[in-house]
Amino acid sequence: MTCASDGQRFSEPGKDADVMAAWERFLNGSGQAGDALRSLVEGSWQRCRDHNVDPDKRSAPPPLTESRLESLRNTHDELLRASAPIMACARDFLAETGTVMALADVNCTILSMEGDTRTLGAAENIHLLPGVAWSERICGTNAIGTALAVGEPVQIHSAEHYCAGIKRWTCSAMVIRHPIDGETLGVVDVSGLSETYNRQSLALVVTTANRIESRLTMRETELRLRLLEATLPNLSSTTDSVVLFDRRGYPIKANGNAQAVLTSLGADLDLSRPRRIPALALDNSLTQLPPWMRAEWLAPVSERGERIGTLLILPLPALVHRRSKPDREEIERPPGGFEHIITVDPGLKTVLRKARQLASSRVPVLLLGETGVGKEEFAQGIHRASPFSAGPFVPLNCGGLSRELLASELFGYVDGAFTGARRGGLIGKIEAANGGTLFLDEIGEMPIDLQPHLLRVLEHGEIYRLGENAPRKTDFRLVAATNRDLRQEVAAGRFRMDLYYRVAVTSIRIPALRDRQGDVERLVQHFLAHFAERHRKPLPAIDHAVLERLAAYTWPGNVRELRNVVESMLLVCEGPRLSLDCLPAELEADTPTPDTHPASVTPLHAVQRISEVEAELIRRTIAATGGNLTLTASKLAIAKSTLYQKLRDYDLHDEVSAQRSLKLSGQR
């Protein structure tokens, strides 16, 4: 759970009268809300007032027509199928409890309901029904709408509801997120009349959401395996360069020199860091294709009449045409070493010298640093300057994959290893890296039960595909990377000590962008020239005040964030110069003020351990955003689910509550 304490996490029925009095004071604007009111509820009430929600409302609006509701259910078919057996259990489990369970989509519209029959009848009085939207904008403070507004487990009881007609009810809700990227898909809610209040309702919805997400993970793994099998002939082609996208628009596999062709086309798509292309999502027909992509290059992938993905077949003539005129980036990034890393900072130059020295050896290297500092660029440099440079460079991100998918990606599998395995089996990344370099990013997120298998590969030079009894010899250079403190992970039992000493034979700590003197201006000029040519725009001048502001920013997303900011500025600004008006709003939010940076924050240069650096960075970003976790995750360039985990790891819940309280007191 993500709330700071039990006092913030749970409603307290014993304070109902005080909460009701606070509601009346809130509506007439007289005095403070009082200690009885949780900050979660007060924040929701404030949003309701900003949206001009009628506090005297007696019920939600009428439900959608049957035809519109059926159409909406078809749109959310995958979510409904994943939740169907769990909702069926609720039908029996909640019978005679006086409560009902509701599943709603990301717009707060209820898709299905199960539970106590008598309570379902009472719910009709307030239109707690399928086809009704229970957002805060429409129905005021309620568990469904508030959970989706804050992205956290929420319990709302009786007087805590904003609208008078709903104050006889108690409810608990938790959002449901997609297992691949953490996108919010919907919310599960348990509601009943006030006398059915139970703290355990909150635990029930959290557990239910987790079960639904687990079923979505299984479904996603099955679909991806089917997609890979259906396109095996295309991916095995030696003449075509193809990229395979799943149903949500994420690239999951490419062949041959697809990345080189994408680069020649000016495509901002790095296959080693998959990024969604919304136009290729099967449920999205409104978004335009990226400028570099043409509709005639796309081919639908179907199986048994069901479309399951999209194949991008890249044109080789375009590659030949573009190679006749090498672009600026290719001139500035010659192969064979670390020349592609741009810096004037003495500290980073020292790190580069160390990397060049280690590259000539064959021992594993562990790259340490925050998200976005360029760990993969260092890994590629080590590969090019190593004895393995003639072999392949094979990257794999260990984070964001289910255990089963990561195991098959790492080790491969044989024909018939499991249900859904493709015919002929699959070569794993370890085997594919034979004679070259294997780059394991976010190795600290590798499940503990997979770690002994990787350790055996490193110790014996042998790999077993899943479902295979005979070993296969392999010889590769391992480069791993993490933004976690692996020593702390070992102490916590989440990372094996013997594997740690194998992957960290040597280590390189890459400094954050904010600690690199002069590099911001140098990188700004480089990215500006690069994107001006890519987007065929004239190279603008940049005001000195803009450079000063960029240099003063803390860059929680490091070089990756700077690259995105420069591209955004170039695209949104008109005229021959980039001025302060072109800066994104989030850079304004980072400007230090006495009100946004509490005295308890220590100088970053005094922190020594990676975990402390990361905790301090998260603490500062929370302060800069006033406790807004959505904006915090965006500024840190991490998924919101990852941010919640780090709040638990570093015990930063009180920091979030403190900043939200500070923000609320400033508003009052």
Side-chain angles (χ1 to χ4, degrees):
M1 303 227 178
T2 57
C3 295
S5 64
D6 284 355
Q8 287 295 309
R9 182 183 305 164
F10 299 106
S11 302
E12 296 187 48
K15 294 183 177 180
D16 213 33
D18 293 335
V19 173
M20 193 68 182
W23 179 68
E24 293 171 351
R25 290 195 300 272
F26 182 84
L27 294 183
N28 62 33
S30 61
Q32 298 293 319
D35 295 337
L37 193 64
R38 296 180 292 155
S39 60
L40 168 77
V41 176
E42 187 172 5
S44 176
W45 286 3
Q46 184 62 54
R47 290 191 296 273
C48 295
R49 181 158 62 186
D50 293 343
H51 298 322
N52 295 316
V53 178
D54 181 6
D56 293 324
K57 183 175 289 188
R58 313 308 298 179
S59 68
L64 299 173
T65 62
E66 281 297 324
S67 60
R68 291 184 63 190
L69 177 57
E70 188 61 30
S71 175
L72 190 63
R73 284 171 171 163
N74 289 334
T75 300
H76 298 288
D77 178 65
E78 185 174 358
L79 176 61
L80 283 166
R81 280 195 288 174
S83 61
I86 297 153
M87 295 293 289
C89 289
R91 184 186 313 139
D92 301 325
F93 182 75
L94 298 181
E96 309 301 327
T97 66
T99 60
V100 294
M101 179 176 287
L103 177 74
D105 66 9
V106 74
N107 294 316
C108 306
T109 302
I110 297 176
L111 301 174
S112 65
M113 287 183 65
E114 297 287 355
D116 184 75
T117 305
R118 289 172 299 176
T119 306
L120 286 171
E124 293 184 11
N125 296 329
I126 60 169
H127 291 163
L128 185 63
L129 298 166
V132 179
W134 277 79
S135 69
E136 285 187 337
R137 286 176 175 267
I138 298 174
C139 299
T141 304
N142 70 91
I144 293 176
T146 304
L148 281 166
V150 301
E152 301 175 2
V154 165
Q155 189 169 62
I156 302 295
H157 177 72
S158 196
E160 291 179 326
H161 291 88
Y162 186 74
C163 295
I166 313 172
K167 288 184 179 291
R168 291 183 57 243
W169 288 77
T170 184
C171 47
S172 302
M174 175 60 180
V175 294
I176 302 167
R177 296 186 175 87
H178 197 280
I180 299 300
D181 57 7
E183 177 189 2
T184 300
L185 302 178
V187 62
V188 62
D189 165 86
V190 169
S191 293
L193 293 173
S194 298
E195 56 268 22
T196 66
Y197 170 82
N198 192 321
R199 280 193 168 200
Q200 296 306 315
S201 296
L202 195 60
L204 175 60
V205 293
V206 171
T207 302
T208 301
N210 289 338
R211 291 180 62 194
I212 295 173
E213 289 169 1
S214 295
R215 290 182 58 83
L216 288 169
T217 300
M218 294 170 59
R219 170 71 172 163
E220 191 70 30
T221 302
E222 175 196 350
L223 286 171
R224 289 196 170 196
L225 290 173
R226 286 169 50 193
L227 186 58
L228 288 168
E229 182 176 356
T231 55
L232 181 60
N234 305 89
L235 293 169
S236 302
S237 172
T238 58
T239 57
D240 291 330
S241 293
V242 300
V243 182
L244 179 61
F245 291 83
D246 68 9
R247 299 172 310 147
R248 303 178 71 244
Y250 280 98
I252 63 171
K253 197 76 173 178
N255 77 339
N257 60 348
Q259 184 65 71
V261 180
L262 288 168
T263 302
S264 74
L265 292 168
D268 185 17
L269 182 63
D270 185 348
L271 296 177
S272 64
R273 298 187 183 92
R275 182 174 55 83
R276 187 181 190 187
I277 297 183
L280 298 187
L282 302 191
D283 60 354
N284 190 345
S285 60
L286 302 178
T287 306
Q288 291 185 342
L289 293 173
W292 57 269
M293 186 185 294
R294 298 181 185 176
E296 57 266 29
W297 299 346
L298 302 173
V301 180
S302 299
E303 183 189 55
R304 297 191 293 272
E306 177 190 7
R307 185 171 176 184
I308 58 176
T310 304
L311 202 62
L312 171 64
I313 305 174
L314 297 166
L316 289 179
L319 174 62
V320 175
H321 173 74
R322 291 293 301 268
R323 289 298 182 193
S324 64
K325 183 181 179 181
D327 64 21
R328 180 185 180 94
E329 185 176 34
E330 290 176 323
I331 295 173
E332 293 184 354
R333 298 177 64 175
F338 296 84
E339 295 83 1
H340 62 297
I341 297 178
I342 297 172
T343 185
V344 295
D345 175 60
L348 186 57
K349 287 182 177 180
T350 300
V351 173
L352 284 171
R353 285 194 294 270
K354 179 180 180 181
R356 288 191 184 97
Q357 293 172 343
L358 294 177
S360 61
S361 69
R362 301 171 65 92
V363 299
V365 176
L366 179 64
L367 302 176
L368 306 171
E370 298 174 7
T371 298
V373 294
K375 294 188 283 291
E376 182 163 347
E377 283 70 25
F378 266 76
Q380 290 174 343
I382 291 172
H383 170 69
R384 286 193 289 264
S386 75
F388 295 89
S389 59
F393 176 83
V394 181
L396 177 64
N397 191 314
C398 299
L401 295 177
S402 67
R403 182 208 174 280
E404 293 75 18
L405 193 56
L406 178 58
S408 62
E409 283 287 320
L410 267 177
F411 305 103
Y413 55 82
V414 297
D415 193 358
F418 50 86
T419 303
R422 81 180 190 197
R423 290 187 296 272
L426 175 74
I427 184 173
K429 291 293 193 294
I430 295 176
E431 196 174 343
N434 189 37
T437 301
L438 175 67
F439 174 56
L440 296 182
D441 199 6
E442 297 186 29
I443 193 171
E445 298 189 23
M446 179 178 290
I448 189 76
D449 58 336
L450 287 186
Q451 295 174 22
H453 301 285
L454 176 60
L455 180 62
R456 178 178 176 81
V457 174
L458 297 177
E459 289 181 342
H460 300 287
E462 294 178 342
I463 182 175
Y464 290 82
R465 290 189 184 182
L466 301 180
E468 189 175 57
N469 295 321
R472 299 169 184 259
K473 290 292 184 181
T474 183
D475 181 30
F476 60 91
R477 168 74 170 280
L478 175 66
V479 179
T482 182
N483 58 12
R484 297 189 177 191
D485 184 344
L486 288 189
R487 290 182 180 273
Q488 182 176 335
E489 296 296 298
V490 170
R494 292 187 291 265
F495 202 85
R496 291 177 61 101
M497 181 179 294
D498 46 4
L499 180 59
Y500 170 75
Y501 287 118
R502 287 292 300 181
V503 302
V505 175
T506 58
S507 63
I508 297 172
R509 189 179 301 276
I510 305 171
L513 179 58
R514 61 182 170 276
D515 298 327
R516 292 163 50 177
Q517 300 178 13
D519 275 5
V520 171
E521 181 174 352
R522 179 74 178 271
L523 288 167
V524 167
Q525 300 293 353
H526 168 74
F527 289 143
L528 202 56
H530 168 69
F531 287 121
E533 183 172 358
R534 169 174 291 184
H535 297 296
R536 296 178 174 84
K537 294 175 69 73
L539 180 64
I542 184 167
D543 288 345
H544 184 68
V546 174
L547 291 174
E548 287 184 335
R549 182 68 58 83
L550 295 175
Y553 183 59
T554 56
W555 297 111
N558 289 288
V559 178
R560 186 183 303 143
E561 184 183 10
L562 174 62
R563 176 188 173 99
N564 293 340
V565 166
V566 172
E567 183 177 21
S568 172
M569 292 171 60
L570 178 72
L571 294 176
V572 302
C573 289
E574 299 178 355
R577 301 188 67 83
L578 299 184
S579 63
L580 289 173
D581 293 336
C582 302
L583 287 171
E586 57 264 30
L587 266 70
E588 297 291 340
D590 191 70
T591 305
T593 68
D595 293 329
T596 61
H597 287 84
S600 60
V601 176
T602 57
L604 196 59
H605 61 75
V607 179
Q608 299 299 319
R609 301 177 64 184
I610 291 179
S611 60
E612 293 172 341
V613 171
E614 186 172 60
E616 182 67 18
L617 178 59
I618 293 172
R619 186 179 293 110
R620 288 189 175 195
T621 311
I622 289 171
T625 61
N628 185 323
L629 296 185
T630 300
L631 182 55
T632 297
S634 175
K635 288 168 68 62
L636 292 172
I638 60 177
K640 200 169 180 181
S641 57
T642 302
L643 176 60
Y644 292 148
Q645 180 61 50
K646 293 183 183 298
L647 293 179
R648 289 191 289 269
D649 291 345
Y650 301 134
D651 195 21
L652 295 176
H653 301 305
D654 291 341
E655 192 75 29
V656 177
S657 298
Q659 292 303 323
R660 288 175 176 174
S661 299
L662 184 63
K663 183 177 180 180
L664 287 171
S665 63
Q667 291 173 346
R668 291 195 293 266

